[in-house]
Amino acid sequence: MLNQISNGRQTPEAAMAGRQQVYSVCGMCSVRCPIVVEVEDGKAVRIEGNPKSPLKGSLCARGAAGIALEMDTERPQRPLIRVGERGEGTWREASWDEALDYVAGKLKDITAAHGGRSVLFSDRGGPFVDLHQAFMRGLGSPNYCNHDSACARNVQHAAKSVMGIGRKEVVYDYRNCKHLVLQTRNILEAINVAEANAVLDGMEKGCKLSVVDIRATYTAGKADNFYMVRPGSDLAFNLAVIHVLINEGLYNKPYVEAHVQDLDALARHVATCTPQWAEGETGVPAAAITALARQLAEAAPNVIWHPGWMVARYDDSFHVCRTAYIINALLGSIGAKGGLPIANKPGDVGRKGLKKLVDLYPAPEEKRADGVGWRHTQFDGGPGLINLAYDAIATGDPYPVKAYICYRHDPLMAMPDAEAMKRKWEGLDLLVSVTFSWSDTAWHSDVVLPLSTYLSRESIIASKGGLKPQFFVRKRAMQPTLDTKADWEILCGLARRLGMDKLAFDRIEDIWEYQLQPTGVTMADFDAKGFVELCDAPRYREDAELKFATSSGKLEMISPKWTKAGEPSLRPYAAPPAPPQGMFRIAFGRTALHTQGHTVNNPLLAEQMPTNVAWINTARAAELGIADGELLEVLDARGTAAGRIRAFVTDFVHPEALFMVHGFGHRLPVESRARGKGVADQDLMPGGLERYDRAGGGISMQEHFVAVRKAAARA
Ligand code: SF4
């Protein structure tokens, strides 16, 4: 199964070391960077970024810790079937045949009683989901979901509402950009290696960097302009920038005339949103907001106002993202080189796309259980909104949902209010986790199917849009250390048992052959670089080629789709409530050393960063008599303590916010390195599963207040 670089030859360096090299794809976070794995005596011994890709050998710390994951025994080692109560942690070990027979048998019983629609599936999205969607279609269920309501759904829907296309259908052209604005996007800590490299390359060529955030992140430390805004006031900041661009006539007039619909409505909407008004809302001086708008106009159209990535934060986050796209539209950067050029698909460069596995089965005619597409008409049907699907489990409305398969997804740690979620899941007859690491969700499941790590599994071929679209594939670098299996082995194994013969592939090579049928590409074409580019040079569109997939064909300031759904496209600003006396607004974010909760128990990464700390503003800490490094308890709005954490007292966080890195506060006895370390922000969000942005679908995870007290004061 090993695939060597250069048509089976080793590079001279690897040959000298007696190692094979395997092109593959990292799986330590959802970015999926191209990598090269060096293999010695059947074991992965070194990983680096694919030198023939834009990574040019570089890798992040998490990517480099993949071998530690493979060797770690503190992960599910073989299939497990629950014997005690849910969440009790008592299991019996099972062979793969027994576990797959068990799951397939349960699914047969459930679908016989309630139909295929009674099965729910969620994953973390990404390029390999065609297989998951095909499995769900084979069952006859429309209920494929991913984790995105706790991540980027607001951005996706904002992109659709302005451009008619999704967020990934434009490219961030950092290397040719002259001014990059990052708002709620900590690009040098929430890392995508190629993107971080491109940003640094762009800055070396003179690109200005402006950061809008509630704290001074590492990214803000590199910025030319840093604006510390009051938590929840980003929309006021953006409206004021739009006000200046329109009122000073700084917008790109020929572009706007050609491509923007309803500028007048936008102008009326921001008429009173002056920088002076925004200063009162955000705390950022009016002069600084005006100066930023003018700087952007000077750099236009080579400007990127990044609309954000993880923006499941506030009740108005959809509108924050939407105004980011609107600013890009006013500056003429949507579609422009150095801005947000349109991503090309295979067909745009004269090539054929992959044959989809999902097309093995007809699309189910059933409505989605989460109401997306019929009850909530403005939202994308694709991955739906998983939090709303849980309501269907609890209520049976619109129909019973009785089985749930979580694939590499840990909703109990990724979303607020785990106890409320567990209560909703009581209606399930089957809860299955497919996972390579322990998680709260796996611990609560009826069956755990251990997934091989990305080093010891292969994946289906994926297609990636961009200036140079490409196909890429993950190859197995070594055999699994534990009794684990690849996703295709698990899902095709279930398909076989369920009589879904078209998806019951025996060999990954057969899947690859099926996918490549229309493309003219062969597996041998991946040998040279690990991926196959579908054109030789980046393809940018001419301005005359720009036509957007909206009803007007233009960038829409007023979206008819949102209007029809009863949601205003231009929402009046509502100031966020201030925290009650002595309290803070919870805020969370990323670090370059961990991928949310699933790397916190990694032996190497736990050593580098074993716990999180609570960022607390110096003046607020002084008021409360809290010293830097002091042990605190954090309490939710009901007064329930969520755990202990050290104070990090700093000027570099807004006084209203209490910030912590997400992913800590693990409690499972099987995770010796992560257990009892730090606090889980999602534990501080009671009722948070019900609170989501009605316009964009993202859960509003920063609409919760918390208090702190010295740990020693506990009774
Ligand atoms: S960003 Fe890091 S962890 Fe994520 S895929 Fe790339 S190398 Fe792996």
Side-chain angles (χ1 to χ4, degrees):
M1 192 61 70
L2 292 180
N3 295 276
Q4 298 171 332
I5 284 177
S6 307
N7 298 321
R9 292 190 300 276
Q10 296 156 300
T11 59
E13 296 79 11
M16 277 173 65
R19 294 173 179 173
Q20 290 177 301
Q21 293 184 305
V22 182
Y23 284 127
S24 193
V25 178
C26 182
M28 291 292 278
C29 82
S30 55
V31 172
R32 283 113 179 160
C33 292
I35 55 172
V36 175
V37 185
E38 290 189 8
V39 180
E40 192 172 302
D41 298 330
K43 299 279 181 211
V45 292
R46 185 170 176 275
I47 308 171
E48 67 171 11
N50 184 337
K52 293 176 182 168
S53 78
L55 270 69
K56 298 197 175 82
S58 55
L59 203 63
C60 83
R62 299 162 299 156
I67 295 170
L69 170 69
E70 176 65 42
M71 304 314 293
D72 189 10
T73 52
E74 287 194 3
R75 58 187 172 101
Q77 301 202 18
R78 56 190 60 83
L80 298 169
I81 297 173
R82 175 173 67 85
V83 292
E85 294 299 311
R86 273 199 187 137
E88 194 180 272
T90 45
W91 314 90
R92 68 180 168 87
E93 295 182 349
S95 69
W96 273 101
D97 272 341
E98 186 186 1
L100 294 179
D101 286 347
Y102 180 89
V103 172
K106 286 275 185 188
L107 287 174
K108 273 185 191 166
D109 292 346
I110 290 167
T111 54
H114 303 287
R117 66 186 187 175
S118 62
V119 183
L120 173 67
F121 187 106
S122 69
D123 61 26
R124 294 185 59 80
F128 303 122
V129 301
D130 184 26
L131 177 66
H132 309 166
Q133 291 170 331
F135 179 76
M136 290 301 283
R137 271 205 189 176
L139 282 173
S141 174
N143 295 314
Y144 165 79
C145 285
N146 71 20
H147 76 128
D148 215 32
S149 59
C151 191
R153 261 315 72 185
N154 286 325
V155 194
Q156 171 71 7
H157 289 137
K160 286 268 184 161
S161 76
V162 174
M163 305 186 293
I165 53 176
R167 67 187 179 102
K168 292 183 180 168
E169 294 181 64
V170 289
V171 175
Y172 302 116
D173 193 8
Y174 301 112
R175 286 197 170 83
N176 295 304
C177 181
K178 292 185 183 155
H179 197 139
L180 168 62
V181 181
L182 297 174
Q183 183 171 38
T184 322
R185 178 73 186 95
N186 183 7
I187 219 159
L188 300 179
E189 290 184 275
I191 288 183
N192 167 330
V193 175
E195 191 175 57
N197 286 349
V199 168
L200 294 175
D201 285 352
M203 288 174 70
E204 241 179 64
K205 283 167 61 183
C207 177
K208 264 189 194 301
L209 175 62
S210 294
V211 170
V212 185
D213 210 321
I214 61 157
R215 68 182 181 116
T217 59
Y218 184 79
T219 308
K222 299 264 181 212
D224 298 277
N225 304 314
F226 171 53
Y227 310 97
M228 188 188 285
V229 292
R230 183 174 172 234
S233 70
D234 295 75
L235 182 59
F237 189 91
N238 293 10
L239 292 173
V241 170
I242 295 171
H243 173 98
V244 176
L245 291 175
I246 293 178
N247 277 47
E248 295 192 5
L250 297 174
Y251 61 94
N252 186 328
K253 293 186 187 70
Y255 179 94
V256 166
E257 193 152 309
H259 300 300
V260 172
Q261 183 86 345
D262 289 324
L263 179 71
D264 291 352
L266 178 67
R268 283 195 298 278
H269 183 69
V270 300
T272 57
C273 302
T274 61
Q276 291 72 23
W277 162 79
E279 178 175 339
E281 298 296 335
T282 64
V284 177
I289 298 173
T290 303
L292 174 63
R294 291 174 184 165
Q295 286 175 22
L296 294 176
E298 270 172 36
N302 309 119
V303 171
I304 300 170
W305 188 300
H306 199 296
W309 182 0
M310 196 297 176
V311 289
R313 294 182 188 272
Y314 302 109
D315 288 341
D316 66 357
S317 286
F318 164 81
H319 287 280
V320 176
C321 302
R322 193 164 200 279
T323 47
Y325 282 113
I326 287 174
I327 293 168
N328 285 308
L330 292 175
L331 295 167
S333 63
I334 298 179
K337 185 173 182 177
L340 289 83
I342 308 296
N344 299 304
K345 296 180 180 142
D348 297 320
V349 295
R351 303 290 295 267
K352 290 268 194 301
L354 297 170
K355 187 169 177 182
K356 289 185 174 174
L357 292 159
V358 78
D359 290 336
L360 287 167
Y361 299 100
E365 287 174 8
E366 295 283 356
K367 295 171 175 176
R368 293 182 61 94
D370 56 15
V372 169
W374 59 279
R375 196 176 268 161
H376 309 288
T377 53
Q378 78 274 33
F379 296 146
D380 260 6
L385 295 174
I386 187 67
N387 46 316
L388 300 188
Y390 297 159
D391 291 342
I393 298 172
T395 63
D397 175 24
Y399 48 75
V401 173
K402 292 290 179 185
Y404 180 21
I405 302 172
C406 284
Y407 173 87
R408 277 198 64 211
H409 183 203
D410 182 12
L412 288 177
M413 279 213 85
M415 289 157 59
D417 207 341
E419 292 313 311
M421 209 180 308
K422 287 177 192 170
R423 284 195 296 277
K424 293 187 183 199
W425 291 357
E426 282 170 9
L428 290 171
D429 294 340
L430 179 68
L431 175 57
V432 179
S433 268
V434 181
T435 180
F436 59 76
S437 57
W438 273 112
S439 68
D440 284 8
T441 304
W443 196 250
H444 196 73
S445 293
D446 303 326
V447 182
V448 177
L449 300 177
L451 183 67
S452 298
T453 76
Y454 66 94
L455 293 172
S456 53
R457 74 175 192 264
E458 55 287 285
S459 301
I460 63 171
I461 301 169
S463 184
K464 186 176 175 188
L467 294 171
K468 289 167 79 175
Q470 60 169 246
F471 298 148
F472 66 97
V473 65
R474 174 181 286 140
K475 299 276 187 75
R476 187 182 297 221
M478 60 180 283
Q479 294 305 332
T481 307
L482 305 176
D483 188 11
T484 58
K485 284 201 183 293
D487 51 356
W488 72 270
E489 292 174 306
I490 296 170
L491 291 180
C492 295
L494 286 175
R496 187 174 310 110
R497 288 164 171 83
L498 290 162
M500 291 157 47
D501 294 345
K502 289 186 214 162
L503 195 60
F505 291 95
D506 287 322
R507 304 181 328 134
I508 188 69
E509 290 81 0
D510 296 336
I511 299 181
W512 292 338
E513 193 180 314
Y514 168 91
Q515 291 184 281
L516 289 175
Q517 274 172 31
T519 65
V521 173
T522 68
M523 285 313 292
D525 296 330
F526 289 87
D527 287 346
K529 295 200 260 189
F531 53 92
V532 176
E533 288 171 309
L534 302 180
C535 60
D536 294 333
R539 176 179 182 260
Y540 292 93
R541 319 257 168 126
E542 297 296 327
D543 186 73
E545 288 180 84
L546 292 182
K547 181 156 182 353
F548 296 95
T550 53
S551 54
S552 63
K554 293 188 172 188
L555 299 164
E556 293 185 337
M557 305 300 99
I558 305 288
S559 165
K561 195 171 181 187
W562 263 255
T563 305
K564 197 169 161 209
E567 290 292 341
S569 298
L570 299 169
R571 170 180 151 150
Y573 177 73
Q581 179 70 26
M583 297 185 84
F584 299 82
R585 185 179 285 268
I586 187 70
F588 58 88
R590 288 278 305 274
T591 167
L593 282 164
H594 286 294
T595 304
Q596 326 292 16
H598 82 74
T599 60
V600 169
N601 200 52
N602 181 290
L604 287 182
L605 298 172
E607 199 177 290
Q608 295 297 313
M609 183 176 175
T611 187
N612 57 356
V613 293
W615 287 45
I616 181 167
N617 178 271
T618 309
R620 295 294 309 278
E623 274 168 31
L624 296 166
I626 291 168
D628 187 40
E630 197 161 4
L631 196 59
L632 304 176
E633 281 185 322
V634 189
L635 298 90
D636 69 20
R638 301 168 305 190
T640 306
R644 294 174 165 213
I645 189 168
R646 299 254 170 221
F648 172 56
V649 177
T650 173
D651 290 340
F652 294 121
V653 65
H654 193 279
E656 287 188 10
L658 187 86
F659 171 87
M660 59 187 70
V661 168
H662 176 73
F664 289 88
H666 288 217
R667 299 192 188 92
L668 298 184
V670 281
E671 295 187 303
S672 67
R673 304 166 209 113
R675 189 182 193 192
K677 305 279 174 59
V679 163
D681 57 88
Q682 73 277 5
D683 285 351
L684 295 158
M685 303 168 186
L689 208 50
E690 312 304 326
R691 188 152 185 176
Y692 71 98
D693 184 330
R694 267 29 191 191
I699 301 174
S700 306
M701 291 200 256
Q702 290 192 174
E703 297 285 8
H704 299 270
F705 298 121
V706 297
V708 293
R709 67 184 176 204
K710 298 183 185 206
R714 188 167 66 171

